[in-house]
């Protein structure tokens, strides 16, 4: 599959890049994509949630009234879960949400995501560029020329370009990423994937 290469003015340069069929032309495996996205989001969770249980509530352990003969229900101390201000039954405890996923499954999911993006015509290739200094306006002009303004975009370079990454840092919905760091969630979590010309070779070998 070949895609046209555009410059930062939105003009067709007349050059084309070849996208590997092994990465951009596979049969999409939705289950692998679901697993990879699930793992990515699970790994972001801190897992520090905690509520106090009966033994952790500050309060007297005195039995409020005798067990029988009062005409009411049985009751223990004031920390009972059935009373207002009492402990919580089976409340959340700190835990680790991370889980293992095989490398080949993650690779399949990433390729499936890239194939889906290409099928939806949400991949744009631009010739390599940089900015003389970090400037948000310069980046906004680029996405406007590519007719991607007001869209959530992911800009992919072969390596980190400080001036470019800082230029889009304050733009809502825009994100910069090195090609080697691409993951399924990042690929899918945008409306357009902007690949620099040099990054295509890296992505073809993912």
């Amino acid at each position: 599959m070949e895609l046209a290469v555009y410059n930062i003015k939105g003009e067709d340069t007349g050059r084309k890049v070849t996208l590997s069929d092994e990465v951009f032309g596979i049969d999409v495996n939705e289950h692998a994509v679901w697993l990879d996205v699930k793992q990515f989001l699970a790994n972001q969770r801190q897992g520090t949630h905690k509520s106090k249980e009966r033994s952790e509530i500050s309060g007297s352990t005195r039995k409020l009234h005798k067990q029988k003969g009062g005409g009411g229900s049985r009751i223990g101390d004031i920390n009972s879960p059935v009373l207002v201000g009492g402990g919580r039954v089976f409340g959340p405890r700190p835990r680790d949400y991370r889980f293992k996923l095989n490398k080949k499954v993650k690779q399949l999911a990433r390729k499936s995501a890239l194939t889906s993006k290409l099928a939806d015509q949400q991949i744009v290739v631009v010739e390599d560029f940089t900015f003389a200094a970090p400037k948000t306006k310069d980046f906004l002009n680029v996405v406007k020329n590519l007719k991607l303004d007001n869209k959530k975009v992911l800009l992919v370079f072969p390596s980190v370009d400080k001036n470019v990454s800082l230029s889009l840092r304050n733009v809502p919905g825009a994100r910069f990423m090195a090609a080697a760091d691409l993951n399924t969630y990042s690929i899918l979590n945008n409306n357009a994937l902007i690949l620099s010309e040099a990054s295509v070779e890296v992505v073809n070998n993912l």
Side-chain angles (χ1 to χ4, degrees):
M1 177 71 179
E2 291 186 338
L3 282 184
V5 179
Y6 294 87
N7 58 27
I8 59 176
K9 294 181 180 180
E11 301 166 340
D12 192 337
T13 62
R15 300 194 307 276
K16 292 183 180 293
V17 292
T18 302
L19 301 181
S20 172
D21 289 336
E22 294 181 359
V23 176
F24 293 90
I26 69 170
D27 292 331
V28 175
N29 189 313
E30 294 183 357
H31 185 63
V33 172
W34 178 80
L35 284 173
D36 199 12
V37 171
K38 180 183 178 182
Q39 187 205 38
F40 180 87
L41 294 176
N43 290 350
Q44 310 306 305
R45 299 186 68 172
Q46 289 184 323
T48 54
H49 40 39
K50 178 72 174 73
S51 65
K52 289 186 177 181
E53 298 184 356
R54 184 170 186 162
S55 63
E56 299 168 318
I57 294 292
S58 177
S60 172
T61 57
R62 176 181 65 88
K63 188 172 175 62
L64 296 180
H65 60 72
K66 61 182 183 179
Q67 178 82 349
K68 302 175 72 68
S73 61
R74 301 173 177 84
I75 195 166
D77 57 50
I78 201 170
N79 304 327
S80 171
V82 300
L83 298 179
V84 175
R88 183 171 177 183
V89 180
F90 304 129
R93 296 181 177 182
R95 57 162 291 192
D96 185 0
Y97 283 92
R98 290 178 295 181
F99 64 92
K100 180 182 180 298
L101 203 60
N102 291 337
K103 288 182 179 180
K104 288 186 177 180
V105 175
K106 294 176 71 67
Q107 186 180 45
L108 175 61
R110 188 167 55 244
K111 291 179 178 180
S112 295
L114 288 169
T115 298
S116 296
K117 280 292 176 184
L118 183 61
D120 294 338
Q121 298 182 346
Q122 293 182 347
I123 295 180
V124 178
V125 179
V126 296
E127 64 181 5
D128 299 331
F129 68 93
T130 187
F131 298 140
K135 198 169 184 180
T136 303
K137 187 175 181 180
D138 289 343
F139 175 74
L140 291 175
N141 286 334
V142 172
V143 292
K144 184 177 181 180
N145 293 335
L146 294 172
K147 298 180 181 180
L148 297 174
D149 46 331
N150 299 322
K151 287 189 176 182
K152 198 172 185 180
V153 298
L154 175 63
L155 180 61
V156 180
F157 270 36
S159 59
V160 176
D161 186 305
K162 187 175 181 180
N163 287 343
V164 176
S165 62
L166 291 177
S167 296
L168 60 81
R169 183 171 58 176
N170 292 328
V171 179
R175 190 179 177 194
F176 179 92
M177 183 171 284
D181 297 330
L182 274 178
N183 59 72
T184 305
Y185 181 82
S186 299
I187 294 169
L188 295 176
N189 191 31
N190 58 74
N191 302 120
L193 190 62
I194 305 175
L195 301 177
S196 71
E197 194 172 358
S199 70
V200 172
E201 183 178 354
V202 180
V203 177
N204 279 339
N205 294 315
L206 284 177

